[in-house]
PDB file of all heavy atoms in Angstrom:
ATOM      1  N   LYS A   9       3.217 -14.824  -6.468  1.00  0.00           N
ATOM      2  CA  LYS A   9       3.786 -13.533  -6.893  1.00  0.00           C
ATOM      3  C   LYS A   9       3.162 -13.070  -8.203  1.00  0.00           C
ATOM      4  O   LYS A   9       2.782 -11.915  -8.355  1.00  0.00           O
ATOM      5  CB  LYS A   9       5.304 -13.645  -7.034  1.00  0.00           C
ATOM      6  CG  LYS A   9       5.976 -12.341  -7.412  1.00  0.00           C
ATOM      7  CD  LYS A   9       7.474 -12.490  -7.518  1.00  0.00           C
ATOM      8  CE  LYS A   9       7.799 -12.879  -8.928  1.00  0.00           C
ATOM      9  NZ  LYS A   9       9.204 -12.895  -9.254  1.00  0.00           N
ATOM     10  N   ASP A  10       3.009 -13.980  -9.142  1.00  0.00           N
ATOM     11  CA  ASP A  10       2.468 -13.634 -10.455  1.00  0.00           C
ATOM     12  C   ASP A  10       0.971 -13.356 -10.419  1.00  0.00           C
ATOM     13  O   ASP A  10       0.425 -12.799 -11.373  1.00  0.00           O
ATOM     14  CB  ASP A  10       2.774 -14.740 -11.472  1.00  0.00           C
ATOM     15  CG  ASP A  10       4.271 -14.875 -11.730  1.00  0.00           C
ATOM     16  OD1 ASP A  10       5.024 -13.921 -11.411  1.00  0.00           O
ATOM     17  OD2 ASP A  10       4.685 -15.934 -12.238  1.00  0.00           O
ATOM     18  N   SER A  11       0.296 -13.715  -9.324  1.00  0.00           N
ATOM     19  CA  SER A  11      -1.139 -13.438  -9.216  1.00  0.00           C
ATOM     20  C   SER A  11      -1.406 -11.955  -8.956  1.00  0.00           C
ATOM     21  O   SER A  11      -2.530 -11.489  -9.091  1.00  0.00           O
ATOM     22  CB  SER A  11      -1.782 -14.288  -8.122  1.00  0.00           C
ATOM     23  OG  SER A  11      -1.392 -13.844  -6.837  1.00  0.00           O
ATOM     24  N   VAL A  12      -0.364 -11.204  -8.588  1.00  0.00           N
ATOM     25  CA  VAL A  12      -0.504  -9.756  -8.413  1.00  0.00           C
ATOM     26  C   VAL A  12      -0.496  -9.140  -9.808  1.00  0.00           C
ATOM     27  O   VAL A  12       0.541  -9.046 -10.456  1.00  0.00           O
ATOM     28  CB  VAL A  12       0.625  -9.166  -7.543  1.00  0.00           C
ATOM     29  CG1 VAL A  12       0.489  -7.649  -7.438  1.00  0.00           C
ATOM     30  CG2 VAL A  12       0.633  -9.810  -6.168  1.00  0.00           C
ATOM     31  N   THR A  13      -1.689  -8.758 -10.284  1.00  0.00           N
ATOM     32  CA  THR A  13      -1.818  -8.238 -11.641  1.00  0.00           C
ATOM     33  C   THR A  13      -1.490  -6.753 -11.722  1.00  0.00           C
ATOM     34  O   THR A  13      -1.156  -6.254 -12.789  1.00  0.00           O
ATOM     35  CB  THR A  13      -3.235  -8.493 -12.188  1.00  0.00           C
ATOM     36  OG1 THR A  13      -4.188  -7.938 -11.276  1.00  0.00           O
ATOM     37  CG2 THR A  13      -3.487  -9.983 -12.344  1.00  0.00           C
ATOM     38  N   ALA A  14      -1.612  -6.042 -10.604  1.00  0.00           N
ATOM     39  CA  ALA A  14      -1.273  -4.620 -10.580  1.00  0.00           C
ATOM     40  C   ALA A  14      -1.032  -4.188  -9.144  1.00  0.00           C
ATOM     41  O   ALA A  14      -1.604  -4.754  -8.211  1.00  0.00           O
ATOM     42  CB  ALA A  14      -2.389  -3.785 -11.195  1.00  0.00           C
ATOM     43  N   LEU A  15      -0.175  -3.202  -8.978  1.00  0.00           N
ATOM     44  CA  LEU A  15       0.092  -2.616  -7.674  1.00  0.00           C
ATOM     45  C   LEU A  15       0.304  -1.131  -7.908  1.00  0.00           C
ATOM     46  O   LEU A  15       1.153  -0.751  -8.711  1.00  0.00           O
ATOM     47  CB  LEU A  15       1.327  -3.254  -7.042  1.00  0.00           C
ATOM     48  CG  LEU A  15       1.523  -2.962  -5.567  1.00  0.00           C
ATOM     49  CD1 LEU A  15       2.170  -4.138  -4.872  1.00  0.00           C
ATOM     50  CD2 LEU A  15       2.301  -1.707  -5.332  1.00  0.00           C
ATOM     51  N   THR A  16      -0.490  -0.307  -7.232  1.00  0.00           N
ATOM     52  CA  THR A  16      -0.387   1.138  -7.431  1.00  0.00           C
ATOM     53  C   THR A  16      -0.315   1.867  -6.100  1.00  0.00           C
ATOM     54  O   THR A  16      -0.829   1.388  -5.088  1.00  0.00           O
ATOM     55  CB  THR A  16      -1.591   1.693  -8.227  1.00  0.00           C
ATOM     56  OG1 THR A  16      -2.783   1.429  -7.486  1.00  0.00           O
ATOM     57  CG2 THR A  16      -1.684   1.078  -9.596  1.00  0.00           C
ATOM     58  N   ILE A  17       0.310   3.026  -6.137  1.00  0.00           N
ATOM     59  CA  ILE A  17       0.300   3.965  -5.025  1.00  0.00           C
ATOM     60  C   ILE A  17      -0.233   5.266  -5.592  1.00  0.00           C
ATOM     61  O   ILE A  17       0.310   5.804  -6.564  1.00  0.00           O
ATOM     62  CB  ILE A  17       1.702   4.155  -4.414  1.00  0.00           C
ATOM     63  CG1 ILE A  17       2.205   2.834  -3.821  1.00  0.00           C
ATOM     64  CG2 ILE A  17       1.675   5.265  -3.361  1.00  0.00           C
ATOM     65  CD1 ILE A  17       3.611   2.884  -3.280  1.00  0.00           C
ATOM     66  N   LYS A  18      -1.338   5.730  -5.006  1.00  0.00           N
ATOM     67  CA  LYS A  18      -1.977   6.947  -5.489  1.00  0.00           C
ATOM     68  C   LYS A  18      -2.814   7.541  -4.372  1.00  0.00           C
ATOM     69  O   LYS A  18      -3.505   6.811  -3.659  1.00  0.00           O
ATOM     70  CB  LYS A  18      -2.866   6.630  -6.695  1.00  0.00           C
ATOM     71  CG  LYS A  18      -3.536   7.834  -7.305  1.00  0.00           C
ATOM     72  CD  LYS A  18      -4.384   7.431  -8.494  1.00  0.00           C
ATOM     73  CE  LYS A  18      -5.079   8.655  -9.045  1.00  0.00           C
ATOM     74  NZ  LYS A  18      -5.980   8.323 -10.144  1.00  0.00           N
ATOM     75  N   ASP A  19      -2.748   8.861  -4.231  1.00  0.00           N
ATOM     76  CA  ASP A  19      -3.562   9.577  -3.238  1.00  0.00           C
ATOM     77  C   ASP A  19      -3.396   9.010  -1.826  1.00  0.00           C
ATOM     78  O   ASP A  19      -4.355   8.894  -1.075  1.00  0.00           O
ATOM     79  CB  ASP A  19      -5.043   9.559  -3.640  1.00  0.00           C
ATOM     80  CG  ASP A  19      -5.299  10.246  -4.970  1.00  0.00           C
ATOM     81  OD1 ASP A  19      -4.564  11.205  -5.301  1.00  0.00           O
ATOM     82  OD2 ASP A  19      -6.218   9.815  -5.691  1.00  0.00           O
ATOM     83  N   GLY A  20      -2.165   8.634  -1.473  1.00  0.00           N
ATOM     84  CA  GLY A  20      -1.897   8.143  -0.124  1.00  0.00           C
ATOM     85  C   GLY A  20      -2.408   6.743   0.149  1.00  0.00           C
ATOM     86  O   GLY A  20      -2.525   6.338   1.304  1.00  0.00           O
ATOM     87  N   LYS A  21      -2.669   5.984  -0.916  1.00  0.00           N
ATOM     88  CA  LYS A  21      -3.161   4.610  -0.755  1.00  0.00           C
ATOM     89  C   LYS A  21      -2.344   3.650  -1.606  1.00  0.00           C
ATOM     90  O   LYS A  21      -1.938   3.969  -2.719  1.00  0.00           O
ATOM     91  CB  LYS A  21      -4.636   4.518  -1.144  1.00  0.00           C
ATOM     92  CG  LYS A  21      -5.538   5.268  -0.209  1.00  0.00           C
ATOM     93  CD  LYS A  21      -6.990   4.998  -0.516  1.00  0.00           C
ATOM     94  CE  LYS A  21      -7.844   5.664   0.525  1.00  0.00           C
ATOM     95  NZ  LYS A  21      -8.605   6.773   0.034  1.00  0.00           N
ATOM     96  N   LEU A  22      -2.135   2.464  -1.056  1.00  0.00           N
ATOM     97  CA  LEU A  22      -1.487   1.374  -1.766  1.00  0.00           C
ATOM     98  C   LEU A  22      -2.588   0.389  -2.134  1.00  0.00           C
ATOM     99  O   LEU A  22      -3.345  -0.035  -1.256  1.00  0.00           O
ATOM    100  CB  LEU A  22      -0.455   0.695  -0.873  1.00  0.00           C
ATOM    101  CG  LEU A  22       0.171  -0.567  -1.439  1.00  0.00           C
ATOM    102  CD1 LEU A  22       1.589  -0.270  -1.896  1.00  0.00           C
ATOM    103  CD2 LEU A  22       0.192  -1.670  -0.415  1.00  0.00           C
ATOM    104  N   SER A  23      -2.704   0.054  -3.419  1.00  0.00           N
ATOM    105  CA  SER A  23      -3.714  -0.907  -3.873  1.00  0.00           C
ATOM    106  C   SER A  23      -3.019  -2.065  -4.568  1.00  0.00           C
ATOM    107  O   SER A  23      -2.167  -1.865  -5.445  1.00  0.00           O
ATOM    108  CB  SER A  23      -4.693  -0.248  -4.839  1.00  0.00           C
ATOM    109  OG  SER A  23      -5.429   0.756  -4.182  1.00  0.00           O
ATOM    110  N   ILE A  24      -3.385  -3.266  -4.154  1.00  0.00           N
ATOM    111  CA  ILE A  24      -2.846  -4.486  -4.744  1.00  0.00           C
ATOM    112  C   ILE A  24      -4.011  -5.214  -5.409  1.00  0.00           C
ATOM    113  O   ILE A  24      -5.030  -5.471  -4.770  1.00  0.00           O
ATOM    114  CB  ILE A  24      -2.200  -5.397  -3.677  1.00  0.00           C
ATOM    115  CG1 ILE A  24      -1.069  -4.657  -2.958  1.00  0.00           C
ATOM    116  CG2 ILE A  24      -1.695  -6.692  -4.301  1.00  0.00           C
ATOM    117  CD1 ILE A  24      -0.536  -5.380  -1.740  1.00  0.00           C
ATOM    118  N   PHE A  25      -3.853  -5.525  -6.683  1.00  0.00           N
ATOM    119  CA  PHE A  25      -4.882  -6.229  -7.431  1.00  0.00           C
ATOM    120  C   PHE A  25      -4.409  -7.656  -7.677  1.00  0.00           C
ATOM    121  O   PHE A  25      -3.370  -7.860  -8.304  1.00  0.00           O
ATOM    122  CB  PHE A  25      -5.158  -5.523  -8.763  1.00  0.00           C
ATOM    123  CG  PHE A  25      -5.646  -4.104  -8.587  1.00  0.00           C
ATOM    124  CD1 PHE A  25      -4.747  -3.060  -8.446  1.00  0.00           C
ATOM    125  CD2 PHE A  25      -7.003  -3.834  -8.544  1.00  0.00           C
ATOM    126  CE1 PHE A  25      -5.192  -1.750  -8.279  1.00  0.00           C
ATOM    127  CE2 PHE A  25      -7.457  -2.530  -8.374  1.00  0.00           C
ATOM    128  CZ  PHE A  25      -6.547  -1.490  -8.240  1.00  0.00           C
ATOM    129  N   MET A  26      -5.176  -8.603  -7.173  1.00  0.00           N
ATOM    130  CA  MET A  26      -4.885 -10.030  -7.367  1.00  0.00           C
ATOM    131  C   MET A  26      -6.106 -10.628  -8.050  1.00  0.00           C
ATOM    132  O   MET A  26      -7.099 -10.930  -7.383  1.00  0.00           O
ATOM    133  CB  MET A  26      -4.601 -10.696  -6.032  1.00  0.00           C
ATOM    134  CG  MET A  26      -3.422 -10.087  -5.304  1.00  0.00           C
ATOM    135  SD  MET A  26      -3.126 -10.804  -3.695  1.00  0.00           S
ATOM    136  CE  MET A  26      -2.189 -12.237  -4.159  1.00  0.00           C
ATOM    137  N   GLY A  27      -6.035 -10.757  -9.379  1.00  0.00           N
ATOM    138  CA  GLY A  27      -7.212 -11.197 -10.130  1.00  0.00           C
ATOM    139  C   GLY A  27      -8.299 -10.142 -10.005  1.00  0.00           C
ATOM    140  O   GLY A  27      -8.078  -8.976 -10.286  1.00  0.00           O
ATOM    141  N   LYS A  28      -9.465 -10.535  -9.509  1.00  0.00           N
ATOM    142  CA  LYS A  28     -10.575  -9.599  -9.338  1.00  0.00           C
ATOM    143  C   LYS A  28     -10.604  -8.980  -7.941  1.00  0.00           C
ATOM    144  O   LYS A  28     -11.464  -8.169  -7.640  1.00  0.00           O
ATOM    145  CB  LYS A  28     -11.898 -10.302  -9.617  1.00  0.00           C
ATOM    146  CG  LYS A  28     -12.045 -10.718 -11.063  1.00  0.00           C
ATOM    147  CD  LYS A  28     -13.377 -11.367 -11.311  1.00  0.00           C
ATOM    148  CE  LYS A  28     -13.487 -11.764 -12.776  1.00  0.00           C
ATOM    149  NZ  LYS A  28     -14.791 -12.327 -13.104  1.00  0.00           N
ATOM    150  N   THR A  29      -9.687  -9.367  -7.086  1.00  0.00           N
ATOM    151  CA  THR A  29      -9.639  -8.870  -5.712  1.00  0.00           C
ATOM    152  C   THR A  29      -8.727  -7.657  -5.617  1.00  0.00           C
ATOM    153  O   THR A  29      -7.601  -7.676  -6.124  1.00  0.00           O
ATOM    154  CB  THR A  29      -9.126  -9.971  -4.751  1.00  0.00           C
ATOM    155  OG1 THR A  29      -9.961 -11.118  -4.884  1.00  0.00           O
ATOM    156  CG2 THR A  29      -9.113  -9.498  -3.318  1.00  0.00           C
ATOM    157  N   GLU A  30      -9.218  -6.613  -4.958  1.00  0.00           N
ATOM    158  CA  GLU A  30      -8.406  -5.417  -4.720  1.00  0.00           C
ATOM    159  C   GLU A  30      -8.225  -5.260  -3.217  1.00  0.00           C
ATOM    160  O   GLU A  30      -9.196  -5.203  -2.469  1.00  0.00           O
ATOM    161  CB  GLU A  30      -9.078  -4.168  -5.281  1.00  0.00           C
ATOM    162  CG  GLU A  30      -8.292  -2.902  -4.996  1.00  0.00           C
ATOM    163  CD  GLU A  30      -8.985  -1.635  -5.476  1.00  0.00           C
ATOM    164  OE1 GLU A  30     -10.061  -1.721  -6.094  1.00  0.00           O
ATOM    165  OE2 GLU A  30      -8.442  -0.558  -5.221  1.00  0.00           O
ATOM    166  N   LEU A  31      -6.991  -5.210  -2.772  1.00  0.00           N
ATOM    167  CA  LEU A  31      -6.664  -4.971  -1.372  1.00  0.00           C
ATOM    168  C   LEU A  31      -6.075  -3.574  -1.287  1.00  0.00           C
ATOM    169  O   LEU A  31      -5.134  -3.254  -2.014  1.00  0.00           O
ATOM    170  CB  LEU A  31      -5.659  -6.011  -0.868  1.00  0.00           C
ATOM    171  CG  LEU A  31      -6.076  -7.475  -1.036  1.00  0.00           C
ATOM    172  CD1 LEU A  31      -4.941  -8.400  -0.637  1.00  0.00           C
ATOM    173  CD2 LEU A  31      -7.321  -7.770  -0.218  1.00  0.00           C
ATOM    174  N   THR A  32      -6.634  -2.752  -0.403  1.00  0.00           N
ATOM    175  CA  THR A  32      -6.208  -1.355  -0.310  1.00  0.00           C
ATOM    176  C   THR A  32      -5.830  -1.009   1.118  1.00  0.00           C
ATOM    177  O   THR A  32      -6.476  -1.445   2.061  1.00  0.00           O
ATOM    178  CB  THR A  32      -7.338  -0.417  -0.795  1.00  0.00           C
ATOM    179  OG1 THR A  32      -7.720  -0.809  -2.103  1.00  0.00           O
ATOM    180  CG2 THR A  32      -6.876   1.019  -0.824  1.00  0.00           C
ATOM    181  N   ALA A  33      -4.796  -0.190   1.251  1.00  0.00           N
ATOM    182  CA  ALA A  33      -4.359   0.291   2.558  1.00  0.00           C
ATOM    183  C   ALA A  33      -3.961   1.757   2.441  1.00  0.00           C
ATOM    184  O   ALA A  33      -3.385   2.175   1.436  1.00  0.00           O
ATOM    185  CB  ALA A  33      -3.170  -0.520   3.065  1.00  0.00           C
ATOM    186  N   THR A  34      -4.275   2.517   3.465  1.00  0.00           N
ATOM    187  CA  THR A  34      -3.788   3.890   3.574  1.00  0.00           C
ATOM    188  C   THR A  34      -2.323   3.818   3.984  1.00  0.00           C
ATOM    189  O   THR A  34      -1.934   2.955   4.764  1.00  0.00           O
ATOM    190  CB  THR A  34      -4.599   4.665   4.630  1.00  0.00           C
ATOM    191  OG1 THR A  34      -5.969   4.650   4.245  1.00  0.00           O
ATOM    192  CG2 THR A  34      -4.123   6.090   4.757  1.00  0.00           C
ATOM    193  N   ILE A  35      -1.525   4.743   3.463  1.00  0.00           N
ATOM    194  CA  ILE A  35      -0.089   4.782   3.767  1.00  0.00           C
ATOM    195  C   ILE A  35       0.223   6.037   4.574  1.00  0.00           C
ATOM    196  O   ILE A  35      -0.243   7.121   4.247  1.00  0.00           O
ATOM    197  CB  ILE A  35       0.755   4.851   2.476  1.00  0.00           C
ATOM    198  CG1 ILE A  35       0.451   3.694   1.555  1.00  0.00           C
ATOM    199  CG2 ILE A  35       2.233   4.909   2.811  1.00  0.00           C
ATOM    200  CD1 ILE A  35       1.096   3.865   0.186  1.00  0.00           C
ATOM    201  N   LYS A  36       1.038   5.874   5.590  1.00  0.00           N
ATOM    202  CA  LYS A  36       1.603   7.007   6.322  1.00  0.00           C
ATOM    203  C   LYS A  36       3.112   6.811   6.318  1.00  0.00           C
ATOM    204  O   LYS A  36       3.590   5.725   6.653  1.00  0.00           O
ATOM    205  CB  LYS A  36       1.072   7.053   7.753  1.00  0.00           C
ATOM    206  CG  LYS A  36       1.633   8.217   8.539  1.00  0.00           C
ATOM    207  CD  LYS A  36       1.140   8.225   9.968  1.00  0.00           C
ATOM    208  CE  LYS A  36       1.812   9.350  10.722  1.00  0.00           C
ATOM    209  NZ  LYS A  36       1.784   9.141  12.152  1.00  0.00           N
ATOM    210  N   VAL A  37       3.862   7.838   5.910  1.00  0.00           N
ATOM    211  CA  VAL A  37       5.318   7.720   5.878  1.00  0.00           C
ATOM    212  C   VAL A  37       5.958   8.736   6.812  1.00  0.00           C
ATOM    213  O   VAL A  37       5.401   9.790   7.090  1.00  0.00           O
ATOM    214  CB  VAL A  37       5.890   7.885   4.444  1.00  0.00           C
ATOM    215  CG1 VAL A  37       5.386   6.793   3.535  1.00  0.00           C
ATOM    216  CG2 VAL A  37       5.582   9.244   3.881  1.00  0.00           C
ATOM    217  N   GLU A  38       7.135   8.375   7.288  1.00  0.00           N
ATOM    218  CA  GLU A  38       7.950   9.254   8.126  1.00  0.00           C
ATOM    219  C   GLU A  38       9.358   9.200   7.543  1.00  0.00           C
ATOM    220  O   GLU A  38      10.046   8.182   7.663  1.00  0.00           O
ATOM    221  CB  GLU A  38       7.934   8.777   9.576  1.00  0.00           C
ATOM    222  CG  GLU A  38       8.832   9.559  10.505  1.00  0.00           C
ATOM    223  CD  GLU A  38       8.524  11.049  10.508  1.00  0.00           C
ATOM    224  OE1 GLU A  38       7.397  11.423  10.883  1.00  0.00           O
ATOM    225  OE2 GLU A  38       9.416  11.825  10.128  1.00  0.00           O
ATOM    226  N   THR A  39       9.749  10.289   6.879  1.00  0.00           N
ATOM    227  CA  THR A  39      11.029  10.297   6.176  1.00  0.00           C
ATOM    228  C   THR A  39      12.201  10.789   7.017  1.00  0.00           C
ATOM    229  O   THR A  39      13.338  10.700   6.582  1.00  0.00           O
ATOM    230  CB  THR A  39      10.927  11.171   4.909  1.00  0.00           C
ATOM    231  OG1 THR A  39      10.560  12.496   5.287  1.00  0.00           O
ATOM    232  CG2 THR A  39       9.903  10.609   3.943  1.00  0.00           C
ATOM    233  N   SER A  40      11.930  11.263   8.228  1.00  0.00           N
ATOM    234  CA  SER A  40      13.012  11.824   9.042  1.00  0.00           C
ATOM    235  C   SER A  40      13.817  10.743   9.762  1.00  0.00           C
ATOM    236  O   SER A  40      14.839  11.045  10.361  1.00  0.00           O
ATOM    237  CB  SER A  40      12.448  12.814  10.068  1.00  0.00           C
ATOM    238  OG  SER A  40      11.638  12.145  11.015  1.00  0.00           O
ATOM    239  N   ARG A  41      13.384   9.509   9.693  1.00  0.00           N
ATOM    240  CA  ARG A  41      14.095   8.416  10.363  1.00  0.00           C
ATOM    241  C   ARG A  41      14.845   7.588   9.328  1.00  0.00           C
ATOM    242  O   ARG A  41      14.519   7.580   8.157  1.00  0.00           O
ATOM    243  CB  ARG A  41      13.096   7.557  11.122  1.00  0.00           C
ATOM    244  CG  ARG A  41      12.416   8.353  12.219  1.00  0.00           C
ATOM    245  CD  ARG A  41      11.755   7.453  13.243  1.00  0.00           C
ATOM    246  NE  ARG A  41      11.233   8.253  14.340  1.00  0.00           N
ATOM    247  CZ  ARG A  41       9.970   8.652  14.432  1.00  0.00           C
ATOM    248  NH1 ARG A  41       9.099   8.323  13.510  1.00  0.00           N
ATOM    249  NH2 ARG A  41       9.569   9.357  15.472  1.00  0.00           N
ATOM    250  N   THR A  42      15.855   6.851   9.795  1.00  0.00           N
ATOM    251  CA  THR A  42      16.625   5.983   8.925  1.00  0.00           C
ATOM    252  C   THR A  42      16.565   4.567   9.466  1.00  0.00           C
ATOM    253  O   THR A  42      16.975   4.350  10.604  1.00  0.00           O
ATOM    254  CB  THR A  42      18.094   6.445   8.838  1.00  0.00           C
ATOM    255  OG1 THR A  42      18.108   7.807   8.402  1.00  0.00           O
ATOM    256  CG2 THR A  42      18.874   5.600   7.875  1.00  0.00           C
ATOM    257  N   PRO A  43      16.050   3.593   8.687  1.00  0.00           N
ATOM    258  CA  PRO A  43      15.424   3.791   7.388  1.00  0.00           C
ATOM    259  C   PRO A  43      14.074   4.504   7.532  1.00  0.00           C
ATOM    260  O   PRO A  43      13.482   4.540   8.616  1.00  0.00           O
ATOM    261  CB  PRO A  43      15.241   2.370   6.852  1.00  0.00           C
ATOM    262  CG  PRO A  43      15.189   1.501   8.053  1.00  0.00           C
ATOM    263  CD  PRO A  43      16.025   2.181   9.096  1.00  0.00           C
ATOM    264  N   ALA A  44      13.596   5.060   6.426  1.00  0.00           N
ATOM    265  CA  ALA A  44      12.308   5.747   6.419  1.00  0.00           C
ATOM    266  C   ALA A  44      11.218   4.759   6.816  1.00  0.00           C
ATOM    267  O   ALA A  44      11.301   3.570   6.508  1.00  0.00           O
ATOM    268  CB  ALA A  44      12.035   6.333   5.032  1.00  0.00           C
ATOM    269  N   GLU A  45      10.209   5.261   7.514  1.00  0.00           N
ATOM    270  CA  GLU A  45       9.137   4.401   8.014  1.00  0.00           C
ATOM    271  C   GLU A  45       7.894   4.519   7.150  1.00  0.00           C
ATOM    272  O   GLU A  45       7.585   5.593   6.623  1.00  0.00           O
ATOM    273  CB  GLU A  45       8.798   4.768   9.461  1.00  0.00           C
ATOM    274  CG  GLU A  45       9.956   4.533  10.395  1.00  0.00           C
ATOM    275  CD  GLU A  45       9.664   4.939  11.831  1.00  0.00           C
ATOM    276  OE1 GLU A  45       8.590   5.520  12.107  1.00  0.00           O
ATOM    277  OE2 GLU A  45      10.517   4.675  12.687  1.00  0.00           O
ATOM    278  N   MET A  46       7.193   3.403   7.016  1.00  0.00           N
ATOM    279  CA  MET A  46       5.924   3.370   6.290  1.00  0.00           C
ATOM    280  C   MET A  46       4.963   2.503   7.086  1.00  0.00           C
ATOM    281  O   MET A  46       5.259   1.342   7.359  1.00  0.00           O
ATOM    282  CB  MET A  46       6.100   2.785   4.887  1.00  0.00           C
ATOM    283  CG  MET A  46       4.785   2.625   4.129  1.00  0.00           C
ATOM    284  SD  MET A  46       4.972   1.830   2.512  1.00  0.00           S
ATOM    285  CE  MET A  46       5.682   3.170   1.565  1.00  0.00           C
ATOM    286  N   ASP A  47       3.831   3.081   7.465  1.00  0.00           N
ATOM    287  CA  ASP A  47       2.791   2.316   8.131  1.00  0.00           C
ATOM    288  C   ASP A  47       1.651   2.103   7.157  1.00  0.00           C
ATOM    289  O   ASP A  47       1.246   3.019   6.437  1.00  0.00           O
ATOM    290  CB  ASP A  47       2.278   3.053   9.376  1.00  0.00           C
ATOM    291  CG  ASP A  47       3.348   3.135  10.457  1.00  0.00           C
ATOM    292  OD1 ASP A  47       4.187   2.224  10.536  1.00  0.00           O
ATOM    293  OD2 ASP A  47       3.339   4.113  11.214  1.00  0.00           O
ATOM    294  N   LEU A  48       1.136   0.885   7.118  1.00  0.00           N
ATOM    295  CA  LEU A  48       0.017   0.533   6.254  1.00  0.00           C
ATOM    296  C   LEU A  48      -1.201   0.282   7.133  1.00  0.00           C
ATOM    297  O   LEU A  48      -1.115  -0.427   8.139  1.00  0.00           O
ATOM    298  CB  LEU A  48       0.348  -0.723   5.445  1.00  0.00           C
ATOM    299  CG  LEU A  48       1.587  -0.641   4.569  1.00  0.00           C
ATOM    300  CD1 LEU A  48       1.922  -2.005   3.978  1.00  0.00           C
ATOM    301  CD2 LEU A  48       1.395   0.374   3.463  1.00  0.00           C
ATOM    302  N   PHE A  49      -2.325   0.863   6.750  1.00  0.00           N
ATOM    303  CA  PHE A  49      -3.579   0.714   7.476  1.00  0.00           C
ATOM    304  C   PHE A  49      -4.610   0.122   6.513  1.00  0.00           C
ATOM    305  O   PHE A  49      -5.203   0.851   5.710  1.00  0.00           O
ATOM    306  CB  PHE A  49      -4.066   2.070   8.001  1.00  0.00           C
ATOM    307  CG  PHE A  49      -3.109   2.715   8.966  1.00  0.00           C
ATOM    308  CD1 PHE A  49      -2.111   3.565   8.514  1.00  0.00           C
ATOM    309  CD2 PHE A  49      -3.199   2.460  10.324  1.00  0.00           C
ATOM    310  CE1 PHE A  49      -1.219   4.163   9.397  1.00  0.00           C
ATOM    311  CE2 PHE A  49      -2.311   3.052  11.215  1.00  0.00           C
ATOM    312  CZ  PHE A  49      -1.322   3.903  10.752  1.00  0.00           C
ATOM    313  N   PRO A  50      -4.806  -1.219   6.531  1.00  0.00           N
ATOM    314  CA  PRO A  50      -5.736  -1.864   5.600  1.00  0.00           C
ATOM    315  C   PRO A  50      -7.147  -1.294   5.688  1.00  0.00           C
ATOM    316  O   PRO A  50      -7.626  -0.973   6.777  1.00  0.00           O
ATOM    317  CB  PRO A  50      -5.706  -3.326   6.031  1.00  0.00           C
ATOM    318  CG  PRO A  50      -4.385  -3.491   6.705  1.00  0.00           C
ATOM    319  CD  PRO A  50      -4.143  -2.178   7.407  1.00  0.00           C
ATOM    320  N   LEU A  51      -7.800  -1.192   4.533  1.00  0.00           N
ATOM    321  CA  LEU A  51      -9.158  -0.656   4.446  1.00  0.00           C
ATOM    322  C   LEU A  51     -10.193  -1.729   4.133  1.00  0.00           C
ATOM    323  O   LEU A  51     -11.384  -1.484   4.270  1.00  0.00           O
ATOM    324  CB  LEU A  51      -9.225   0.443   3.383  1.00  0.00           C
ATOM    325  CG  LEU A  51      -8.347   1.663   3.641  1.00  0.00           C
ATOM    326  CD1 LEU A  51      -8.363   2.596   2.449  1.00  0.00           C
ATOM    327  CD2 LEU A  51      -8.798   2.381   4.902  1.00  0.00           C
ATOM    328  N   ASN A  52      -9.749  -2.927   3.703  1.00  0.00           N
ATOM    329  CA  ASN A  52     -10.673  -3.997   3.353  1.00  0.00           C
ATOM    330  C   ASN A  52     -10.920  -4.900   4.558  1.00  0.00           C
ATOM    331  O   ASN A  52      -9.981  -5.245   5.276  1.00  0.00           O
ATOM    332  CB  ASN A  52     -10.104  -4.872   2.231  1.00  0.00           C
ATOM    333  CG  ASN A  52      -9.761  -4.100   0.997  1.00  0.00           C
ATOM    334  OD1 ASN A  52      -8.789  -3.355   1.011  1.00  0.00           O
ATOM    335  ND2 ASN A  52     -10.526  -4.265  -0.057  1.00  0.00           N
TER     336      ASN A  52
END
Protein backbone atom coordinates (compact mmCIF):
# COMPACT_ATOMS: atom_id res chain seq x y z
CA LYS A 1 0.00 0.00 0.00
CA ASP A 2 2.77 2.43 0.93
CA SER A 3 4.58 1.76 -2.37
CA VAL A 4 1.87 3.83 -4.10
CA THR A 5 3.65 7.19 -4.12
CA ALA A 6 0.91 9.03 -6.02
CA LEU A 7 -2.52 8.42 -7.49
CA THR A 8 -4.20 10.95 -9.77
CA ILE A 9 -7.32 11.29 -11.87
CA LYS A 10 -6.99 13.78 -14.69
CA ASP A 11 -8.34 14.12 -18.23
CA GLY A 12 -10.35 10.90 -17.95
CA LYS A 13 -7.37 8.82 -16.82
CA LEU A 14 -6.40 7.18 -13.55
CA SER A 15 -2.63 7.05 -12.97
CA ILE A 16 -0.99 5.08 -10.18
CA PHE A 17 2.67 5.74 -9.42
CA MET A 18 4.55 2.97 -7.62
CA GLY A 19 8.17 4.09 -7.31
CA LYS A 20 9.32 4.73 -10.88
CA THR A 21 6.47 2.71 -12.41
CA GLU A 22 3.37 4.48 -13.71
CA LEU A 23 0.23 2.44 -14.39
CA THR A 24 -2.45 4.28 -16.35
CA ALA A 25 -6.02 3.43 -17.29
CA THR A 26 -8.74 5.30 -19.13
CA ILE A 27 -11.88 5.75 -17.02
CA LYS A 28 -15.48 5.54 -18.19
CA VAL A 29 -18.22 6.30 -15.66
CA GLU A 30 -21.97 5.80 -15.67
CA THR A 31 -23.68 7.86 -12.99
CA SER A 32 -27.28 6.92 -13.77
CA ARG A 33 -26.99 3.55 -12.03
CA THR A 34 -26.81 2.77 -8.32
CA PRO A 35 -24.09 2.29 -7.34
CA ALA A 36 -22.40 4.41 -10.01
CA GLU A 37 -20.30 2.38 -12.43
CA MET A 38 -16.66 2.89 -13.35
CA ASP A 39 -14.86 0.90 -16.01
CA LEU A 40 -11.07 0.97 -16.17
CA PHE A 41 -9.25 0.30 -19.44
CA PRO A 42 -5.50 -0.21 -18.78
CA LEU A 43 -3.12 1.51 -21.21
CA ASN A 44 0.18 -0.10 -20.12
